[in-house]
Amino acid sequence: MNLFLAAASSVHETEKLVSFTLLQLLCIIAGARLCGGLARQLGQPRVVGEIVGGLVLGPSLFGRLFPAQFEFVFHSTSPLPLLILSQIGLTLLMFQIGLEFDFSHLRERQNRNAMVAISAAGIALPFALGWWLGDVSHATLAPDIQPLGYRLFLAVALSITAIPILGRIMMELGISRTRLGVIAITAAALDDVTGWSLLALVSALTMAQFSGPAFFTKVALLGVYFVVSLLVLRPALHWLVRKFPPRDGQLSHNL
């Protein structure tokens, strides 16, 4: 009897989790479509409206004006399924961006030089601004946090580009296969790699409490991750593309 009750309870919890996850997806997709369509009417990219839709459905507006309904829709079950789906969606969007852009433009030296210069400026200027903001705001916003770690975190966080948003905007504008679009998205990608790597270093330094041995251990593990990605995963992906090449512009099911 106890086993039967436990099984029934498990099924009930699963059905509840699925039901509320579908309800959340319905609200999110409807909000994104409505706000995206409104943004298009105003001459803005659809993704801008989708971001506004996300803010409208969040605790800042929906949660403040209708707290009971907000709690019912988004907090009746664990948020884990929606978090997983959001990360899968982001991964698929990055994959789509990689497919849509014509990176053959980077074979020209002039375009590569422009990309590197734009990326460097896109990191240096926000980093300097973030460092200054961290210096002037530390005493007010984070007096209990180590000053150097706070300034480094703020500087690096402002240096990271929202590459999925940029990619969506350029695809909507129809410039994903132009020289301008490829330089912009590649510079943003380089910014992302550099920014997230710096953020990982800053986080490692902070978590290690600025201890030399602990910090270098974390840096060494980060280096192992990069080496495996470049020397193992990247060649494996190249092999897969050669093994299952696209035909007539269409990806095979295996690829």
Side-chain angles (χ1 to χ4, degrees):
M1 178 61 73
N2 290 337
L3 184 60
F4 174 78
L5 290 176
S9 176
S10 176
V11 170
H12 173 73
E13 287 299 320
T14 300
E15 291 176 346
K16 180 182 177 182
L17 190 63
V18 171
S19 298
F20 275 98
T21 301
L22 291 175
L23 176 61
Q24 293 162 9
L25 284 175
L26 177 63
C27 293
I28 292 170
I29 293 172
R33 296 300 295 176
L34 289 172
C35 293
L38 181 60
R40 294 295 297 160
Q41 294 294 324
L42 297 175
Q44 296 296 315
R46 180 177 291 276
V47 67
V48 173
E50 292 171 353
I51 294 173
V52 173
L55 295 174
V56 168
L57 288 174
S60 302
L61 189 61
F62 181 35
R64 181 173 293 272
L65 297 179
F66 306 99
Q69 290 79 3
F70 177 80
E71 289 292 322
F72 175 77
V73 173
F74 291 106
H75 291 163
S76 291
T77 57
S78 168
L80 186 59
L82 198 63
L83 290 174
I84 294 173
L85 288 173
S86 68
Q87 293 303 309
I88 293 174
L90 179 61
T91 302
L92 293 175
L93 174 59
M94 296 299 293
F95 182 70
Q96 183 186 12
I97 290 174
L99 288 176
E100 291 289 337
F101 283 79
D102 182 7
F103 292 100
S104 62
H105 290 285
L106 295 180
R107 294 171 184 166
E108 299 180 21
R109 184 181 182 87
Q110 181 182 5
N111 294 343
R112 293 198 301 272
N113 291 339
M115 177 266 295
V116 172
I118 293 170
S119 177
I123 292 176
L125 295 179
F127 188 94
L129 177 61
W131 182 273
W132 175 77
L133 285 175
D135 189 45
V136 299
S137 67
H138 176 262
T140 304
L141 298 180
D144 299 329
I145 298 178
Q146 208 279 343
L148 178 59
Y150 175 74
R151 289 197 294 267
L152 283 172
F153 177 82
L154 198 58
V156 172
L158 289 180
S159 304
I160 297 175
T161 307
I163 186 171
I165 306 302
L166 179 63
R168 278 285 308 278
I169 290 175
M170 288 195 288
M171 285 191 291
E172 287 190 34
L173 295 177
I175 61 174
S176 60
R177 296 193 173 273
T178 65
R179 172 177 175 268
L180 174 63
V182 170
I183 290 176
I185 198 68
T186 309
L190 190 57
D191 276 1
D192 251 22
V193 171
T194 305
W196 285 110
S197 299
L198 289 174
L199 190 60
L201 291 175
V202 170
S203 299
L205 185 62
T206 304
M207 291 175 62
Q209 300 295 319
F210 295 87
S211 166
F215 170 68
F216 286 114
T217 299
K218 295 182 183 297
V219 172
L221 292 173
L222 182 63
V224 170
Y225 169 77
F226 275 117
V227 169
V228 172
S229 297
L230 291 174
L231 302 183
V232 179
L233 295 180
R234 193 167 185 265
L237 292 174
H238 276 293
W239 178 84
L240 282 173
V241 173
R242 291 193 300 268
K243 186 72 173 178
F244 307 105
R247 298 182 184 276
D248 300 325
Q250 300 294 321
L251 296 180
S252 69
H253 290 295
N254 288 332
L255 186 56

